[in-house]
Amino acid sequence: MLQDYPFVLNIAGFDPSAGAGILADIKTCEQIGVYGLGILTCNTLQTEHQFHKLDWMPMQQIATAIDTMCRQYPIEAVKIGVVKDMFQLEAIIQNVRTHLPNTFIIWDPILRATTGANFFQKDSLCEKALVDLDLITPNYHEITAFLARGEDIESGCKRIAKSCALLLKGGHHPTAPGLDQLFYRSKVWKYPPHTTLLTYPKHGSGCVLSAAIAAYIAQGYDVGEACGRAKGYTADFLASNHTLLGNHYVQ
């Protein structure tokens, strides 16, 4: 029965290759065992190799869709992907919080596509929206946009974690590739890479990881365990084949 599945609302961009964005989010949710809902922030034309075009959705259209989904379904977690700027992010968060004041919200801060296209306007980046989020999932390139002048990464992560939890993804870790670190409640959890799996780079791996975290949160896992399980799901995704488009498997 559909009512037996937790609902996760994914608010992200459309990638016709289905490697990243809303299609990757929905596939991840379904494989983990939750029902994925989707709202578009933008429409892109891209493949796993090349980016061609980007059209942003009007904020009013996004807000109307949020209102409709939140009124209709008992949503347990919300994942936000690519957004135009901090102003749009704040508007999305406030629209969600109007309906779901206590629901877990994850933002995957996608600043630049793996194919080279710039998304987020970094000059608008500020931290006031972070207090209304529960978790952000930047990689080592993205975290630099959150740092104060002269601030090192670890200090910056600990400072940001006072506003919301932060999972620093290790795919671009300068010294320990694959080591993810969760900064949460004044503690740091470390998730080492899965050394038993031969993994390959994948288009949309960050989307898959954040959607998987949302799915496990919706199933009732706490933040630390949800991040660990999501890392395992993503490792299977990275190991699924040698191309840039991964396959999703039931764990």
Side-chain angles (χ1 to χ4, degrees):
M1 295 288 292
L2 183 59
Q3 297 93 316
D4 296 333
Y5 283 80
F7 286 87
V8 171
L9 176 59
N10 301 279
I11 306 173
F14 176 76
D15 167 16
S17 78
I22 203 81
L23 295 179
D25 294 345
I26 298 298
K27 287 191 283 187
T28 301
C29 286
E30 293 293 318
Q31 292 288 7
I32 290 174
V34 304
Y35 194 92
L37 305 168
I39 295 174
L40 296 187
T41 56
C42 65
N43 188 24
T44 76
L45 177 58
Q46 61 178 305
T47 68
E48 71 274 28
H49 299 289
Q50 190 172 8
F51 195 94
H52 297 279
K53 187 180 180 183
L54 167 66
D55 294 304
W56 293 105
M57 297 294 109
M59 186 57 223
Q60 185 55 54
Q61 183 174 321
I62 297 171
T64 300
I66 292 172
D67 179 75
T68 301
M69 295 296 103
C70 290
R71 289 179 184 275
Q72 180 67 32
Y73 303 104
I75 296 166
E76 300 292 341
V78 177
K79 176 264 174 81
I80 302 172
V82 63
V83 291
K84 184 178 182 180
D85 51 34
M86 186 59 74
F87 305 106
Q88 186 181 67
L89 175 64
E90 288 184 282
I92 289 172
I93 294 170
Q94 292 308 313
N95 273 273
V96 170
R97 286 293 181 214
T98 297
H99 299 281
L100 307 170
N102 300 313
T103 297
F104 200 96
I105 303 178
I106 300 169
W107 176 40
D108 182 22
I110 304 168
L111 308 184
R112 184 179 175 85
T114 53
T115 48
N118 290 314
F119 290 129
F120 194 86
Q121 296 177 11
K122 288 193 289 185
D123 57 351
S124 72
L125 190 58
C126 64
E127 293 182 31
K128 63 181 181 178
L130 300 185
V131 296
D132 289 320
L133 292 167
D134 296 287
L135 175 67
I136 61 173
T137 59
N139 61 32
Y140 267 77
H141 297 320
E142 293 158 347
I143 191 60
T144 59
F146 292 85
L147 302 180
R149 185 182 299 273
E151 187 175 43
D152 64 82
I153 289 178
E154 184 174 358
S155 297
C157 288
K158 290 179 178 179
R159 173 180 54 80
I160 294 166
K162 294 177 182 178
S163 299
C164 70
L166 185 153
L167 179 68
L168 182 60
K169 296 179 291 192
H172 301 282
H173 195 298
T175 59
L179 174 66
D180 296 350
Q181 300 176 79
L182 174 65
F183 295 79
Y184 179 55
R185 293 181 177 174
S186 301
K187 296 182 179 180
V188 181
W189 281 262
K190 295 187 177 182
Y191 306 91
H194 290 257
T195 55
T196 58
L197 292 176
L198 181 61
T199 60
Y200 306 89
K202 288 286 180 287
H203 175 56
S205 56
C207 301
V208 170
L209 177 65
S210 54
I213 295 171
Y216 287 119
I217 290 288
Q219 289 184 334
Y221 294 100
D222 63 26
V223 179
E225 190 166 6
C227 289
R229 286 177 173 268
K231 184 177 180 66
Y233 181 92
T234 307
D236 288 341
F237 172 76
L238 294 173
S240 63
N241 64 65
H242 66 278
T243 76
L244 287 174
L245 292 179
N247 301 113
H248 292 254
Y249 298 115
V250 177
Q251 289 184 292

